[in-house]
Amino acid sequence: MRVIAKSSLQKFWERPGCGDARGPLHSWYDEALKAKWRSPQDIKSQYASANICGNNRVVFNVGGNKYRLVVEVQYRAGIVWVKFVGTNAQYDRIDVESVHEY
């Protein structure tokens, strides 16, 4: 998959107090680059805890469930767009299907 944009992930882990997200986000990014997700089930097969939402959005638990990563997946095009990275508290305040923080 093509992941847009790694810089969004980096901006998050460079925030004060979020440095521990670097390793998990790097791991997710590397795995997503190698993935060939053609359907939501392909994602669930790789990440059982991922939440499949409307508007082609998927929510991943990151860093031992400390952070949330929301992406939009364009399966046919092979593109994953980073839409949100944040703490659980920040995640609770967004609308997953419309958020576009980055």
Side-chain angles (χ1 to χ4, degrees):
M1 305 296 288
R2 181 174 169 215
V3 180
I4 303 171
K6 184 178 182 180
S7 62
S8 299
L9 303 176
Q10 184 174 351
K11 285 178 192 172
F12 180 75
W13 76 59
E14 289 177 347
R15 291 181 187 172
C18 297
D20 60 336
R22 181 180 181 160
L25 287 172
H26 253 293
S27 294
W28 176 88
Y29 178 82
D30 290 341
E31 291 169 9
L33 283 178
K34 295 173 189 169
K36 295 186 184 338
W37 297 325
R38 300 289 178 232
S39 69
Q41 188 55 45
D42 289 345
I43 294 173
K44 288 295 283 184
S45 294
Q46 186 172 354
Y47 294 97
S49 65
N51 293 324
I52 308 300
C53 303
N55 203 20
N56 293 319
R57 302 293 175 100
V58 181
V59 180
F60 295 93
N61 299 324
V62 178
N65 207 22
K66 185 175 180 181
Y67 304 108
R68 295 280 196 266
L69 169 63
V70 178
V71 301
E72 178 181 326
V73 183
Q74 296 178 3
Y75 296 97
R76 293 181 81 170
I79 297 172
V80 177
W81 293 83
V82 174
K83 297 295 183 177
F84 171 85
V85 187
T87 64
N88 285 330
Q90 292 166 331
Y91 171 80
D92 288 342
R93 294 189 301 267
I94 66 164
D95 176 4
V96 171
E97 294 183 18
S98 65
V99 69
H100 184 66
E101 186 171 297
Y102 299 102

